[in-house]
Amino acid sequence: MRRLLGQPSSALTLAVVCLLVVAAIAAPLITWLAGTSPTTFHSDAVDPALGGLPRGVAGGISARHWLGVEPGSGRDVLARVVYGARISLLISVLATGLSVVLGTALGLAAGFFGGWVDAVIGRLMDLLMSFPSLIFMIALISAAPGVDRQLLLVVVLGFFGWPYVGRLVRGQAMVLARGEFVAAARVLGASRRALLVREVLPNLTGPVLVVATMSIPNYIATEAGLSFLGIGVRPPTPSWGQMIASAVPWYAADPMYFLIPGAFLFVTVLAFNVLGDAVRDALDPRSRR
């Protein structure tokens, strides 16, 4: 943590991520303070004579609507942005947790035990990594209309993401399993379970933490892309990708409605990517250039 906060860019990035997380958690409080909600239609905030464009300047930004309103419906943009952050972060964190748990468990087993265990798990990793996962996600989510979309996104993203974690863990576990400290523990009578839990697994914490931090922005972008295509989070539940998709017909007349969710998506993905690099450098100073 001292190395992480020692770099101004890393400290700034961590502050941005913390601010986004706090905003997502406090979304009900923020909307209560603003006096609105993500599903409330404000017909008085749009002008029917102009085809539903927001009244005022910059997309209807005012003391009542801090980031303007949605064209046509008049829904508050701030409320939809903070609730969209909540959905994106929740799905990405849960999908990351699922992929990390599966990838760590299977990769550790493959790298430590070797033999037929490594062969079976390795072929399964190769199969999933060579599969066109995005096409399968689109087909699976489209074919399951009655399933909770958020839960389905977590399961699908986590299932297709674990082989990348597993490949990294497998390689590290193979090196650690042949280390002198593991051989010494084995000579002293440590069981296989003790070797895995007490010797090998703690030394995998750093690489797993880095890959988890780098996975979150990938899942955020994937969820936004699926929602943009209309097969992600269902309306009226807000999503940044969904907002960008609905803003496309209005981008010329009301560019703010297009720019605001796009800017939040860009800043979030960038912040997590930079944070992942900073965590890697903090855990392994030799990786710095």
Side-chain angles (χ1 to χ4, degrees), residues 87-146:
I87 295 298
S88 294
L89 291 176
L90 179 64
I91 291 174
S92 60
V93 169
L94 291 179
T96 299
L98 179 60
S99 65
V100 166
V101 170
L102 289 176
T104 302
L106 295 175
L108 182 60
F112 184 82
F113 293 108
W116 67 268
V117 177
D118 184 26
V120 171
I121 297 177
R123 299 297 77 75
L124 181 60
M125 291 181 189
D126 293 338
L127 175 64
L128 291 176
M129 292 178 72
S130 63
F131 206 78
S133 57
L134 183 59
I135 296 176
F136 186 79
M137 288 180 196
I138 295 173
L140 180 61
I141 294 173
S142 301

